[in-house]
Amino acid sequence: MFEQIRRYAGRFRGAERTDGGGAPQRRERRERRAHNLFEAAATYVAARAEDDQDRLEEASGWVSPEALSFGVSELACRAVVALARERDQSPRTVARDLLGLPVA
């Protein structure tokens, strides 16, 4: 929230500043792009599947752990539903099959 306020106020100040002598000078700042939790979850899961530790850690820092957990859970639900439709099976059957559990 504060990041959005800072960016909004920054529009009025301008992106350039002067250095005492009047020469414009761009402010160097590391501005992190805002990532939504689903983007973070997709990157996190893909990185785990590909065993890419660097991307895994990067995606973990984009959102809070709680938001990442929710996003991963939502991704899992959507994936199971999509796979169940593709296989013409119930989501329960597909989920158990993916985890290697016996059919109940």
Side-chain angles (χ1 to χ4, degrees):
M1 180 171 88
F2 292 108
E3 180 68 18
Q4 290 174 335
I5 294 170
R6 188 183 63 73
R7 276 188 270 147
Y8 179 77
R11 288 185 214 161
F12 296 109
R13 285 185 299 212
E16 296 183 349
R17 290 190 172 179
T18 59
D19 66 356
Q25 183 179 62
R26 289 202 175 205
R27 236 180 9 164
E28 290 187 34
R29 63 180 178 188
R30 285 183 58 190
E31 187 172 330
R32 287 179 29 182
R33 192 179 122 232
H35 297 276
N36 74 35
L37 66 102
F38 296 117
E39 183 179 18
T43 302
Y44 181 86
V45 170
R48 290 237 7 226
E50 297 168 354
D51 199 25
D52 185 342
Q53 190 63 35
D54 292 335
R55 273 195 322 155
L56 187 78
E57 291 173 7
E58 181 183 358
S60 296
W62 290 348
V63 295
S64 71
E66 295 82 10
L68 184 61
S69 177
F70 173 78
V72 169
S73 177
E74 185 66 23
L75 178 61
C77 289
R78 292 179 187 196
V80 167
V81 168
L83 201 53
R85 287 180 183 155
E86 184 179 296
R87 293 182 180 183
D88 198 27
Q89 296 177 335
S90 74
R92 181 179 184 186
T93 301
V94 170
R96 295 184 68 83
D97 182 50
L98 288 173
L99 294 171
L101 299 173
V103 178

